Amino acid sequence: MSTLSVSLGDSAIMLRRNFKHTVRNPATVFQAVLFPVVMMFMFVYVFGDAFNVGGKYVDYAVPGLIVMALSYGMGPTATAVNDDMTKGIINRFRTMDVSHGAVLTGHVVATTVRGLIADAVIVGVGFAMGFRSDATALDWLGVVGLSLLLGFAASWLTVAMGLAAKSPESAGMGTVPLIMLPFLSSAFVPAAKMGPGIRQFAEYQPFTPIIETLRGLLSGGHVATGTTIQALAWCIGLALVGYLWAVSTFRKRA
């Protein structure tokens, strides 16, 4: 059996392990899947009328909520990775015939898939709340692809944070900036309507071009090429940083 097939098999085992842990932990399910829905109801029905976005607020908010749903699933992953490391579970895997990379890959893939499930729930609830899209099948494919790429990038970054943290508690707290960034972007209000300083931060932080690209795709492909390039560059850059950081930290703590 080839090294690649062994590694893939081990990754599948780790993936199944992580999904079982997710299903058995109601807090993880709530934070990663249900809490973004709660936030959606709050923004659309409580704050929506306060924002003038030139159309239905739910149509404006759904792209930002897609990104927010991905970020809210990061905390449990960082905590789980650190818990595996500090409790010696990863060391136990090292004594077994298990690919070292499979341990990290299992967390990354599980987190990415969990994020896509959360996004599917957000879109479904959005349609129930009146969200409508002019996106073509190709546009929807772009939405899924960009969400997958962002989830993959954020997952590697989160795994790296979990490995680098000293305790599960600090690992969870380390993901707070990822959770807060959507609120300081164009997710819920146009950046142009923000005050000086905050507006510039919102325009140049990673999530804004990603959200604007999703918003353009969902509105029927009306998205600037430069914005799409920025979104892809941020996703690829975050994925590389997260991967290199995670592998380096994993080897140092081996």
Side-chain angles (χ1 to χ4, degrees), residues 167-222:
S167 67
E169 292 77 15
S170 62
M173 289 300 296
T175 62
V176 170
L178 285 176
I179 296 173
M180 294 302 298
L181 275 179
F183 292 97
L184 300 174
S185 70
S186 63
F188 304 111
V189 63
K193 295 188 176 183
M194 299 178 182
I198 297 296
R199 181 175 67 251
Q200 285 74 19
F201 178 82
E203 289 173 346
Y204 293 104
Q205 63 122 307
F207 285 161
T208 292
I210 296 171
I211 291 169
E212 291 302 320
T213 300
L214 291 172
R215 186 169 287 133
L217 290 170
L218 289 172
S219 65
H222 308 297

Side-chain angles (χ1 to χ4, degrees), residues 219-243:
S219 65
H222 308 297
V223 57
T225 302
T227 302
T228 303
I229 293 173
Q230 290 179 45
L232 294 175
W234 272 116
C235 289
I236 294 171
L238 290 173
L240 287 174
V241 170
Y243 173 77

Side-chain angles (χ1 to χ4, degrees), residues 69-125:
L70 290 172
S71 67
Y72 262 90
M74 301 296 109
T77 296
T79 302
V81 170
N82 188 270
D83 199 50
D84 282 350
M85 181 64 74
T86 55
K87 289 186 177 180
I89 295 175
I90 290 181
N91 288 331
R92 188 180 305 170
F93 286 144
R94 288 196 183 104
T95 65
M96 302 166 62
D97 188 20
V98 177
S99 170
H100 292 177
V103 178
L104 303 183
T105 303
H107 280 291
V108 169
V109 175
T111 304
T112 303
V113 173
R114 191 171 63 210
L116 289 179
I117 293 172
D119 282 347
V121 172
I122 284 291
V123 172
V125 174

Side-chain angles (χ1 to χ4, degrees), residues 20-36:
K20 285 182 178 180
H21 287 181
T22 297
V23 172
R24 293 171 182 173
N25 190 341
T28 298
V29 176
F30 177 80
Q31 181 172 340
V33 180
L34 298 181
F35 191 72

